[in-house]
Amino acid sequence: MLITAILSALPAASQQKQAVVSKVITKSISMASSDALSIVGEKAHIAVSGWDKDYAQVKILFSASNVNRAVAVREFEFMQYAITREKNIIELRNAYVLPFDVDQIRSMLNVTFEIMLPARSRLSITNKYGTIELKSLSGEINASFSFCDLFVTGISGKASLKPSYSEVRGEVNSPLFFCDAEKSEIFLELSGGAYTFKTSLGDIDLDLKSILSLNVKASHTGVTLRTASVRSFNYDLATRNGKIYAADIDSRHVKEEDRLSTLFYKPEADNALIEIYTTYSPITIK
C-alpha cells in the first residue's frame, strides 16, 4: 500500500510512456574443438548455454528507452559491439562510445548477449556492472567480473572465478575449481572435485555433496557449510577473532586459545578433507 501511495504521488511527467528503440543481431560462428570464446562485457547481460553443435550462435539485443524518442534514437548509437578472430580466439565485446561533446547518458541503455556455445569449448568472460548466466558447460571457464550477479548451473569443467563486489549463486560439478573473491557473496552447491576459495571481506555459503576436497583461505569472511551428515567429511578449521559453530560435532573438538578457535575432527580416515582459515568471522557447520 505504501508503494502504491508513493507511485500515485509521483509527478505525471515521471510516469510518461517510454519510447523504446531496439535492434537484434544474430551471428553464427563456426568453432573447431581448439577454438575459445572470449567475451568482454561492459554493463552487459551475458547468458551462455552449452549445446551439442559445432558452432556458436550469438544473439545481441540492444535497446534504448527515453520519454523523448529523439533522445533514445540518438543515444542508441552509443552502443557498439565487435566480433573478431585471432588464430583460435574468437572475441565478442561491447562498448559505450560517446561523442566528445556528450558527458552523460539520458536514456536507459541495455545490451544483452544470448549465446549458444559448443559445450566443451573454452570460455573466458569479463564484465562490469551487469549479469552473467552460465548453463550446461563442460569446457574450461575463466570469469573475472565486478559489480555483477553470476548464476551457474550444470558446470562440469575446470573453472576459475574472480568476482569483486558481486554475488555468485548456483551449482557446480567441477573437477577443479578456484575462486578468488573480494567483497563478494558466494552461495554454491558443490559436487565432484577439488575446490579452492580465496576471499576477503565477503561471505561464503556452501552446500557440500560428494567432493574430493575443499580449501578456504579467507579474511573477514564468514563461512557456512551445509552437509547431509557432518560425518561425511574430515575437518581442519580455524578462525582468528571469530567463533566456530558445529552443533552436530562434540564441543570437545572445538578449542579456543589466544583468540584462535580451531576444530580438528576426523570421523573417517578416507573422508574428503575440509580445510578453512578465516579471520574476524564465524565458521558454521549446519
Side-chain angles (χ1 to χ4, degrees):
M1 293 298 292
L2 178 59
I3 293 174
T4 302
I6 292 173
L7 291 176
S8 64
L10 292 173
S14 67
Q15 301 181 43
Q16 291 180 20
K17 184 176 181 180
Q18 297 283 310
V20 179
V21 180
S22 62
K23 183 178 182 179
V24 178
I25 296 172
T26 302
K27 302 281 187 179
S28 293
I29 304 170
S30 62
M31 295 191 67
S33 59
S34 59
D35 287 344
L37 177 64
S38 173
I39 303 172
V40 182
E42 179 183 353
K43 300 177 182 177
H45 306 287
I46 301 169
V48 184
S49 297
W51 67 357
D52 60 0
K53 303 184 186 300
D54 61 357
Y55 66 94
Q57 180 175 282
V58 178
K59 180 186 290 187
I60 312 171
L61 301 92
F62 300 96
S63 70
S65 59
N66 193 292
V67 294
N68 186 324
R69 181 174 178 81
V71 174
V73 170
R74 181 173 66 253
E75 296 187 339
F76 180 88
E77 300 301 323
F78 296 170
M79 295 180 289
Q80 302 292 323
Y81 84 100
I83 300 176
T84 60
R85 177 191 282 269
E86 184 173 349
K87 296 182 179 180
N88 66 332
I89 305 296
I90 300 160
E91 183 184 87
L92 167 62
R93 74 165 57 228
N94 79 291
Y96 295 83
V97 182
L98 278 62
F100 73 92
D101 57 344
V102 174
D103 59 4
Q104 65 177 344
I105 298 174
R106 295 162 56 192
S107 302
M108 177 67 72
L109 304 183
N110 286 290
V111 179
T112 299
F113 296 125
E114 296 179 356
I115 300 168
M116 300 300 298
L117 183 71
R120 295 179 180 273
S121 295
R122 290 178 293 131
L123 175 65
S124 173
I125 296 178
T126 63
N127 197 22
K128 294 181 179 180
Y129 300 102
T131 62
I132 304 172
E133 184 175 356
L134 305 177
K135 291 184 178 181
S136 305
L137 296 167
S138 55
E140 184 175 347
I141 296 171
N142 288 275
S144 178
F145 49 96
S146 55
F147 302 98
C148 283
D149 290 336
L150 169 66
F151 179 76
V152 293
T153 182
I155 302 303
S156 57
K158 294 180 181 178
S160 178
L161 307 181
K162 191 172 183 179
S164 61
Y165 297 91
S166 297
E167 183 174 292
V168 179
R169 290 184 178 271
E171 53 91 5
V172 182
N173 183 2
S174 174
L176 190 63
F177 180 95
F178 177 74
C179 180
D180 183 357
E182 178 185 6
K183 296 180 180 178
S184 297
E185 295 184 333
I186 299 167
F187 306 90
L188 288 174
E189 177 185 300
L190 306 182
S191 57
Y195 291 84
T196 301
F197 292 84
K198 179 183 176 183
T199 69
S200 62
L201 300 168
D203 190 63
I204 299 177
D205 191 316
L206 304 175
D207 186 354
L208 304 181
K209 304 303 181 184
S210 177
I211 63 172
L212 296 180
S213 65
L214 171 64
N215 184 283
V216 179
K217 293 289 191 297
S219 64
H220 295 80
T221 298
V223 182
T224 299
L225 304 179
R226 304 176 189 275
T227 68
S229 169
V230 294
R231 293 187 58 83
S232 298
F233 302 96
N234 294 337
Y235 304 88
D236 185 357
L237 314 180
T239 176
R240 183 166 294 281
N241 296 302
K243 297 287 187 179
I244 295 176
Y245 302 98
D248 294 331
I249 296 177
D250 193 315
S251 60
R252 290 176 297 177
H253 294 284
V254 178
K255 310 294 184 183
E256 294 188 13
E257 184 177 352
D258 193 24
R259 296 182 298 172
L260 180 69
S261 295
T262 61
L263 184 153
F264 185 75
Y265 178 53
K266 191 176 181 180
E268 300 290 343
D270 58 352
N271 280 351
L273 177 61
I274 308 301
E275 297 178 282
I276 300 174
Y277 177 81
T278 190
T279 62
Y280 294 96
S281 299
I283 300 173
T284 304
I285 302 175
K286 295 185 175 182

